[in-house]
Amino acid sequence: MPSSKPSEKAWTQRLTDFLPRALGSEGDDPLQHLQRVSAGETAIMMLSALGIGLVCGLLAIGLNASVHAVRGALGGSEWGPWVILFPAAGMGLAVYLIRSLMKDFAGHGVSDVIQGMAVGTKSLRRRMIASRFIGSLLTVGSGGSTGLEGPIVCVGGAWGTLIGRWLDMNERRKRLLIGYGVAGAVAGIFNAPLTGLIFTLEIIVGEYTALTILPTIIAAVSATEVSRLLAGNKITFHHEIANFSPTSLVACIALGVLTGLLSVVFVRSLPWWESVFARLTERLWIRAATGGLLVGLLGYWFPEILAEGYVTTQAFLTAEVRPTLLFVLGFVLLKLVACGVTLGSGGVGGVFAPSLVIGSGVGLAFGMGLQLLPLEGIAEETAFALTGMTGMVTGVMHGPLTGIFLVMEATRGYSLILPLMLTASSAMVVSSYFESGSVYTRELIARGHLMRRGTDRYLLHTLNIRDILDRDFDILRDTMLLGEFVEVFKHAHRNYFPVVNKEQQCVGVVFLDDVRSYLFDSQLYPLVTMGTIMRNLPNIDLQEPTDEALEKFETSQVWSLPVVENGRFLGMLSKSTLFDHYRRELQIQET
Amino acid sequence: MPQLLTLPEAVKLLRVPATTLQRWIRLGEVPCQMRNGEARFQKNTLLAWAKKKHLFVGKTSGITQQRQQANLLAALERGGVHAKLSAENRGVLFQDLETRLNAHLHTNAPLATLLEEREQLASTAIGQGLAVPHPQTPGMLELSDSVVAIGLPKIPVEFEAADGEPIIAVFVLLSVDATHHLQLLAQLTRLLRNPELMGFLHTQPLPDALLEAFRKSLDSAAH
């Protein structure tokens, strides 16, 4: 629903409908006309995506550069043991600012965006742009062991809806704009346009049409170009790619299984840490500061686990100084803990970077282990560090395409595609054996909030029972006698009659079939009241979800049920009307 | 060993037509195993699948499941005849009925209040000194089957009958549901139109003789 008056926003309406109107030449064949209108809509959405992508690229580069600047100032050795306190201060301050000043909740970003796609763009608010930006800057800048991608995805999504609100777009378009924002953010921060596109389609939107794909491409391209102009065409991970022997390919399947299992451990550890910190104190900023202190202590002895950790990953990939197997294993373990503590205590960040970094460590350790075996022609261990990244990302996000394209683009290495694909698929199958949803969706699934457009649950959710109520009824009182009913029945055109009591509450329904054979027994007229002959049917409450209402039709096996609001009778809902509207809704939403 | 269901069993569980389930099997929509060309379903898997697809597999509450036809004679025999009821007025009569019937049926219901509430709506007197008091809502007494109890007050009771006659016999109707209620009420009023039976009721008969008279009258009506 547009919040402002139509007249004030008339020019934005004209703007967003300009192309569809200009291109859809009236008078043609109606189907051709419609085809042109929708092509015009796609074009106008592509233009909007350009604006969104440019800004998202800027935001992504801005966040990345700021964090690097802060890390550069705080990460040096001149601070001595004081570094222990940095994450505590940063995370405590981040949570305090977000909760008290910005009145936002510190979610983990991507799930908020997915929820916005499902239940409505209202949940993605303008203040999220600032709160997530500053929150992640403080968290990661001070050394919190998490990534910037989750928050920047949320920032991008919120920016997308903001543009949609500004252009006075409808809800469907605003939800599309969320996706464009996400693509821009991911493409900008990784300097990887394909990843931005794939991540958006696979993880966020889950719908493949011209309206979702083409503008997303524009957003990804524009964000990447902005990032390249400002920060240079950097390759995130340098790697000299060796050729993969068939034996190494088989090993990739094993690595996929390993990373799949580890991703399950990682995903499950996050709510566990959350519950640990939830028991600690009610004050959220103290929770975060305590978590920060723990991370700071770990980081004092093992500084590699602090912040995003891409520097360590880069070291693993180039392997100029070969780390020992023990160091790599210790790094993986401590990074898992540090990231769990950071996110569980309420730090603002995502799981993208930790997954990549942990994956590179696991892959490297796996590769080093293989070198100890008497096998011929095994690829060097750094190559497995790369495929490990794909496996971990796939397992955590349940997005094999995202895992494959991210690593391929981040290393500019198409020649690695076969091992990446193998690792991703085996990691995915292992992870989905244990987890029904990704790290982003498992909670939404548990709460029943994951609804994609066009699915049964979403269709039922969008149906408004009040709209399809049948109110054209003769309503009977429970005290009415059969003799009086006979008079009503003479003029009735329905074969069932809702019965209400003194308080207008629906107490049952009288079916003509039940009483038909007694209607002409005049001796019964003064003896039978409606209350004694009605059937007690379950009432559908207007507040309850439509799928529960449908269940009542199934249990009671009747075609029509009374609908009440706060106990008061409103009307009857018939199964046939419901399905009539259900089908129409499906036709509308069908792509 | 997990429970394997056959096609007819799965049809019954999912409550879909067999042809529909066969189509789902062919299209690979439903999880099943093929044994010698026949589909077998693991019960747990099938139930979980149905739950995920929001298919309904639970029991129906039985609203449309018809009970057996109500049998007036059986209901009368269950209810029995309760003679020499205190009868200073309607309230006293109902109180005595409550005590006697609760003892007879092993229930503990506020019968007097329920009957009086119904009487407030409209009198249940049907003329010629008879009345059919009953609670407003069937099924409140949690009886296993419907009951018609005959009550004979010591002296005639004022019931605000349309014909002004005081009541010499009441037929307390305690039905288990609306269908029984209507059936019993219709059978009872039809029976009480029998002039012989009416005459017999006015002779202050003994309980056993009265039940026997009803039995005969119902038998002859059936033939």
Side-chain angles (χ1 to χ4, degrees):
Chain A
M1 244 176 279
S3 51
S4 48
K5 292 188 196 96
S7 55
E8 288 172 31
K9 289 272 186 167
W11 67 273
T12 54
Q13 291 277 350
R14 274 207 293 280
L15 187 71
T16 48
D17 289 331
F18 168 69
L19 271 179
R21 272 191 299 125
L23 296 177
S25 40
E26 292 275 3
D28 283 358
D29 169 33
L31 274 179
Q32 203 173 37
H33 167 66
L34 189 64
Q35 177 193 336
R36 287 183 180 154
V37 167
S38 59
E41 191 189 6
T42 311
I44 207 80
M45 293 309 273
M46 286 163 89
L47 275 178
S48 323
L50 177 68
I52 292 170
L54 290 174
V55 174
C56 286
L58 259 176
L59 286 168
I61 282 303
L63 182 59
N64 210 4
S66 325
V67 167
H68 277 275
V70 176
R71 284 309 296 154
L74 297 182
S77 55
E78 68 272 23
W79 297 96
W82 290 107
V83 293
I84 295 172
L85 297 179
F86 289 164
M91 285 164 61
L93 186 63
V95 171
Y96 181 78
L97 283 178
I98 288 181
R99 306 292 306 199
S100 307
L101 284 180
M102 304 179 187
K103 307 275 182 237
D104 189 12
F105 60 97
H108 294 320
V110 180
S111 349
D112 302 330
V113 172
I114 293 176
Q115 189 170 3
M117 291 295 284
V119 298
T121 51
K122 267 193 220 105
S123 62
L124 278 178
R125 293 175 301 172
R126 189 168 51 185
R127 63 185 63 156
M128 280 181 175
I129 299 174
S131 75
R132 302 304 165 94
F133 192 96
I134 296 171
S136 60
L137 172 59
L138 284 170
T139 302
V140 184
S142 67
S145 182
T146 175
L148 300 170
E149 291 81 10
I152 200 70
V153 159
C154 189
V155 168
W159 172 252
T161 30
L162 183 64
I163 292 290
R165 236 168 276 163
W166 183 65
L167 289 176
D168 214 21
M169 284 184 172
N170 57 37
E171 181 71 15
R172 162 91 177 121
R173 285 182 178 177
K174 276 193 276 192
R175 291 189 195 187
L176 287 166
L177 293 189
I178 299 181
Y180 311 156
V182 169
V186 173
I189 203 148
F190 282 120
N191 181 18
L194 257 181
T195 311
L197 172 68
I198 300 287
F199 175 82
T200 306
L201 295 180
E202 187 176 54
I203 312 277
I204 308 286
V205 184
E207 194 187 311
Y208 303 84
T209 59
L211 265 180
T212 58
I213 298 175
L214 302 181
T216 309
I217 290 178
I218 299 296
V221 168
S222 53
T224 311
E225 193 52 32
V226 166
S227 128
R228 285 182 185 173
L229 285 174
L230 294 176
N233 192 356
K234 280 189 210 149
I235 297 174
T236 317
F237 302 118
H238 287 277
H239 181 257
E240 298 301 320
I241 287 124
N243 274 330
F244 255 66
S245 64
T247 336
S248 315
L249 281 181
V250 176
C252 279
I253 297 176
L255 178 57
V257 174
L258 187 65
T259 48
L261 289 173
L262 196 68
S263 71
V264 175
V265 173
F266 179 49
V267 168
R268 290 194 180 170
S269 78
L270 294 177
W272 183 79
W273 282 112
E274 218 165 282
S275 68
V276 167
F277 281 97
R279 276 200 293 271
L280 190 70
T281 164
E282 283 291 300
R283 286 176 178 249
L284 295 172
W285 69 271
I286 297 183
R287 250 186 232 179
T290 317
L293 193 65
L294 269 173
V295 174
L297 278 169
L298 283 175
Y300 186 61
W301 305 112
F302 213 113
E304 283 81 1
I305 58 131
L306 287 176
E308 291 181 293
Y310 285 150
V311 183
T312 316
T313 298
Q314 183 58 62
F316 286 170
L317 296 176
T318 42
E320 278 155 12
V321 196
R322 298 263 154 164
T324 62
L325 184 57
L326 197 67
F327 175 87
V328 179
L329 288 176
F331 171 77
V332 168
L333 194 69
L334 285 178
K335 183 76 189 173
L336 272 173
V337 173
C339 181
V341 169
T342 307
L343 294 176
S345 67
V348 182
V351 295
F352 222 127
S355 305
L356 282 168
V357 170
I358 292 169
S360 72
V362 175
L364 186 67
F366 179 81
M368 290 165 115
L370 279 186
Q371 298 293 343
L372 302 176
L373 298 176
L375 289 171
E376 288 290 315
I378 283 288
E380 52 188 312
E381 58 260 42
T382 52
F384 288 108
L386 277 178
T387 51
M389 286 155 77
T390 292
M392 199 68 190
V393 167
T394 302
V396 169
M397 299 181 192
H398 278 202
L401 295 178
T402 306
I404 295 167
F405 280 91
L406 174 60
V407 174
M408 193 183 90
E409 263 192 316
T411 58
R412 301 289 155 79
Y414 177 75
S415 54
L416 216 58
I417 194 80
L418 293 186
L420 292 184
M421 286 164 85
L422 278 180
T423 315
S425 44
S426 60
M428 181 66 195
V429 75
V430 169
S431 170
S432 58
Y433 178 83
F434 293 101
E435 288 287 338
S436 61
S438 70
V439 64
Y440 306 127
T441 56
R442 67 201 297 267
E443 203 186 320
L444 294 175
I445 290 173
R447 278 187 285 149
H449 280 180
L450 185 71
M451 289 179 283
R452 300 262 198 225
R453 197 164 162 270
T455 59
D456 173 67
R457 192 176 265 278
Y458 184 79
L459 280 166
L460 288 176
H461 177 77
T462 45
L463 276 182
N464 188 350
I465 291 182
R466 196 192 288 272
D467 294 347
I468 56 183
L469 272 186
D470 195 346
R471 294 168 197 269
D472 179 22
F473 277 100
D474 293 303
I475 302 172
L476 312 179
R477 271 294 310 277
D478 53 349
T479 54
M480 182 186 263
L481 293 168
L482 188 61
E484 302 168 74
F485 171 70
V486 170
E487 292 305 309
V488 175
F489 150 74
K490 278 180 188 161
H491 309 287
H493 53 281
R494 310 299 283 246
N495 56 1
Y496 50 92
F497 303 85
V499 180
V500 298
N501 65 10
K502 199 160 64 229
E503 284 85 33
Q504 292 297 307
Q505 286 164 327
C506 184
V507 285
V509 177
V510 167
F511 287 83
L512 199 53
D513 282 350
D514 293 352
V515 293
R516 197 188 307 278
S517 48
Y518 307 99
L519 280 178
F520 305 104
D521 190 342
S522 59
Q523 254 198 310
L524 292 178
Y525 285 4
L527 272 182
V528 174
T529 61
M530 293 302 110
T532 49
I533 56 165
M534 69 196 180
R535 291 196 206 174
N536 294 305
L537 297 180
N539 288 351
I540 293 174
D541 198 295
L542 208 58
Q543 317 301 335
E544 78 187 317
T546 318
D547 48 342
E548 279 172 32
L550 267 178
E551 191 137 311
K552 289 187 175 163
F553 278 109
E554 298 279 358
T555 40
S556 62
Q557 293 276 293
V558 251
W559 272 92
S560 206
L561 284 178
V563 178
V564 297
E565 188 180 35
N566 304 322
R568 271 182 56 94
F569 175 72
L570 285 184
M572 300 290 285
L573 177 64
S574 82
K575 225 169 160 179
S576 37
T577 324
L578 188 62
F579 282 110
D580 197 21
H581 287 262
Y582 181 92
R583 169 144 196 266
R584 199 169 62 201
E585 201 67 32
L586 182 64
Q587 288 168 311
I588 297 295
Q589 289 184 21
E590 205 176 33
T591 44
Chain B
M1 190 65 193
Q3 198 184 346
L4 282 183
L5 301 179
T6 60
L7 187 81
E9 285 167 337
V11 162
K12 215 169 155 191
L13 187 72
L14 295 178
R15 302 197 298 134
V16 294
T19 44
T20 304
L21 191 56
Q22 278 160 345
R23 184 165 47 80
W24 286 351
I25 295 168
R26 206 168 56 243
L27 295 174
E29 300 285 0
V30 55
C32 68
Q33 314 161 0
M34 296 309 279
R35 298 275 168 86
N36 305 325
E38 278 185 34
R40 290 283 182 280
F41 305 84
Q42 267 197 23
K43 193 174 180 188
N44 289 342
T45 316
L46 193 65
L47 284 175
W49 174 79
K51 184 161 189 250
K52 191 177 172 223
K53 299 286 179 188
H54 305 120
L55 295 180
F56 186 80
V57 289
K59 282 200 177 73
T60 57
S61 65
I63 281 169
T64 51
Q65 284 165 14
Q66 291 282 322
R67 277 177 182 272
Q68 283 198 326
Q69 193 81 3
N71 184 334
L72 179 59
L73 185 61
L76 281 167
E77 279 166 352
R78 273 191 294 274
V81 182
H82 306 269
K84 297 201 166 51
L85 295 164
S86 314
E88 282 77 32
N89 57 40
R90 196 169 68 194
V92 175
L93 175 70
F94 283 168
Q95 274 304 335
D96 201 18
L97 270 173
E98 175 175 327
T99 325
R100 300 257 205 122
L101 284 181
N102 273 335
H104 181 71
L105 300 167
H106 310 291
T107 51
N108 186 22
L111 200 57
T113 322
L114 294 173
L115 295 179
E116 187 55 39
E117 266 174 17
R118 170 63 183 85
E119 226 54 51
Q120 296 294 333
L121 284 176
S123 173
T124 58
I126 55 172
Q128 296 186 309
L130 303 182
V132 194
H134 53 261
Q136 164 78 341
T137 318
M140 276 188 73
L141 262 61
E142 292 176 3
L143 298 165
S144 56
D145 209 339
S146 302
V147 162
V148 178
I150 305 174
L152 304 172
K154 276 182 208 156
I155 45 168
V157 188
E158 184 51 49
F159 242 74
E160 294 158 28
D163 59 0
E165 289 277 318
I167 297 302
I168 57 143
V170 290
F171 296 81
V172 183
L173 176 54
L174 305 171
S175 43
V176 286
D177 61 22
T179 321
H180 268 196
H181 183 79
L182 265 178
Q183 287 175 352
L184 288 173
L185 209 50
Q187 289 178 38
L188 196 61
T189 47
R190 206 174 307 134
L191 187 68
L192 294 177
R193 262 175 257 167
N194 183 339
E196 268 177 55
L197 207 55
M198 285 300 301
F200 188 58
L201 266 169
H202 280 272
T203 61
Q204 297 188 332
L206 288 170
D208 288 346
L210 186 58
L211 263 185
E212 189 53 39
F214 271 101
R215 196 171 291 130
K216 266 192 198 144
S217 176
L218 279 167
D219 275 351
S220 63
H223 293 125

